Amino acid sequence: MPYRSLLDRLESGLDPRGPVVALPDGSVDTYYRMFEGRDRTVGTRARFAELVADGRTSALRVERQSREPGGQAVNLARQVDALDVPVRLYGHLDDPVFDALGFPTRSMGAPGEVRVYGFDDDDLMISEDSPDIARWSLADLRALPGAVAAVESAAVVALVNWVSVPGMDAAMRGLATLDLEGATVVVDPGDLTGCSERALAGLLDSLDRLGDATDVVLSANEGETATLAAAAGVSADGVDDHLAGLRDRAGLAAAVSHGRDRAVARTATRAVRVPNLEVERARRRTGAGDRFNGALAAALAADWDVEPALALANACASRFVATAAAAGMAELASFLREVPFPGSEDP
């Protein structure tokens, strides 16, 4: 009964053995709602595609709703902070939109730009990468006073958005030379659509090299997990086999897959599956995976076991989908008392 147990755990909160450090991206995310004609909402991505295919784009108009700090590392750090776990963010944050973040940050350059068009079934994201992120290397982190010491003293280092950072493989090899004893590195590769087999093999090799120095946890959505498993030569079907193959191939302490229906983790000794919570109405899906990773990082920093860590991560992601906000302990407890638990596990 992971969610009933989680509800009990939330009363005492997390007791981390050290801070979380998140790096290296950052983006300015602008959210839009799309209309056809004067005030009819374009409700689904399929309807949008239909209008485009029929050449009726002149009927479309957009309304800007908000401009917010974004990026995988930023979103992850905001969730860690909401759970009252100390966090430091080293990202690409050269924009005033990041000034209101309530935890220590240091910038290594200009952020990317992301336009998010919200639909009832899912979001459409269009990204413009930052040249600074494309050029980023571990040398940029080393140039910041105290940054290496912060990484070496962290309980968890979250290294995210590999797909947008060409220098990430070299950075992982560089991190392996630091004194990371006792730290866990959480890696989320980002959307792997269109990545070559050679690039994916390089990622797996870099994870393996980093895993020789410290515990590495790979966290990816189900599609990314399947893509990486294919690159690793895993022929069997099913997320359990994919995760087991990835753990063996990349020398991981654990491999985690998260999706709308469940989260699954594979360690050296067992597979753990935690079904997700149902959200009656989704307010925002973009960034939910980052909240999952933020909660997972916070739980690992507190040495939680795999099952409650997955339950916390699922709950934070689901609550974000429902509210578009990162949940603290009190908000999360209230949310858990309101939603039905999966199966026979009643709240």
Side-chain angles (χ1 to χ4, degrees):
M1 299 188 294
Y3 292 110
R4 182 184 296 279
S5 298
L6 175 61
L7 197 50
D8 294 336
R9 277 176 173 261
L10 293 179
E11 295 182 5
S12 55
L14 291 157
D15 183 19
R17 53 189 164 82
V20 173
V21 169
L23 64 151
D25 68 348
S27 65
V28 177
D29 295 357
T30 306
Y31 289 84
Y32 299 89
R33 194 65 179 173
M34 191 174 295
F35 298 86
E36 52 177 305
R38 183 178 177 83
D39 51 16
R40 181 181 176 185
T41 302
V42 180
T44 66
R45 298 206 305 180
R47 177 58 180 166
F48 171 65
E50 179 184 343
L51 291 168
V52 172
D54 290 347
R56 288 184 282 165
T57 55
S58 61
L60 295 174
R61 66 180 185 87
V62 296
E63 180 180 290
R64 191 171 87 168
Q65 297 181 309
S66 62
R67 186 175 185 270
E68 305 177 15
Q72 287 184 246
V74 176
N75 293 338
L76 181 152
R78 295 177 77 182
Q79 181 60 71
V80 174
D81 179 63
L83 293 171
D84 293 326
V85 171
V87 62
R88 288 183 175 273
L89 170 65
Y90 297 93
H92 286 73
L93 314 173
D94 287 357
D95 189 282
V97 76
F98 298 101
D99 292 347
L101 295 177
F103 47 85
T105 66
R106 292 297 299 275
S107 181
M108 297 179 285
E113 294 279 347
V114 178
R115 296 165 183 82
V116 185
Y117 300 90
F119 299 99
D120 294 339
D121 56 346
D122 210 341
D123 297 334
L124 172 65
M125 296 177 57
I126 300 176
S127 302
E128 180 180 347
D129 292 336
S130 159
D132 289 347
I133 294 176
R135 291 189 295 261
W136 180 81
S137 72
L138 197 61
D140 296 309
L141 182 70
R142 292 180 183 275
L144 297 176
V148 170
V151 169
E152 291 184 327
S153 64
V156 173
V157 178
L159 196 62
V160 299
N161 207 1
W162 167 89
V163 71
S164 297
V165 186
M168 188 75 83
D169 284 340
M172 282 192 274
R173 293 192 294 271
L175 284 173
T177 68
L178 302 182
D179 182 12
L180 297 176
E181 185 177 355
T184 299
V185 179
V186 175
V187 179
D188 184 326
D191 187 344
L192 300 177
T193 302
C195 290
S196 68
E197 290 187 9
R198 180 178 180 180
L200 295 173
L203 168 59
L204 294 169
D205 289 341
S206 298
L207 290 169
D208 196 17
R209 178 79 65 86
L210 184 56
D212 290 337
T214 194
D215 286 344
V216 177
V217 175
L218 175 69
S219 180
N221 68 31
E222 292 177 349
E224 294 155 4
T225 299
T227 297
L228 276 173
V234 180
S235 58
D237 290 331
V239 66
D240 290 327
D241 290 328
H242 289 165
L243 294 174
L246 285 172
R247 201 197 70 79
D248 292 342
R249 165 64 175 83
L252 303 169
V256 177
S257 176
H258 53 88
R260 291 192 184 184
D261 297 330
R262 62 192 174 180
V264 185
R266 183 75 186 209
T267 70
T269 58
R270 59 181 175 143
V272 178
R273 306 167 73 90
V274 177
N276 216 338
L277 298 164
E278 290 189 13
V279 174
E280 185 174 340
R281 184 178 182 278
R283 182 173 174 186
R284 181 180 296 176
R285 297 193 183 277
T286 298
D290 303 330
R291 271 66 185 190
F292 178 97
N293 286 330
L296 178 64
L300 293 173
D303 291 325
W304 278 23
D305 194 28
V306 177
E307 185 176 70
L310 293 184
L312 178 67
N314 274 350
C316 286
S318 294
R319 202 266 184 180
F320 179 81
V321 169
T323 65
M329 290 296 188
E331 295 91 348
L332 200 59
S334 178
F335 175 71
L336 287 172
R337 293 188 185 101
E338 295 171 358
V339 298
F341 292 168
S344 60
E345 188 188 353
D346 296 324

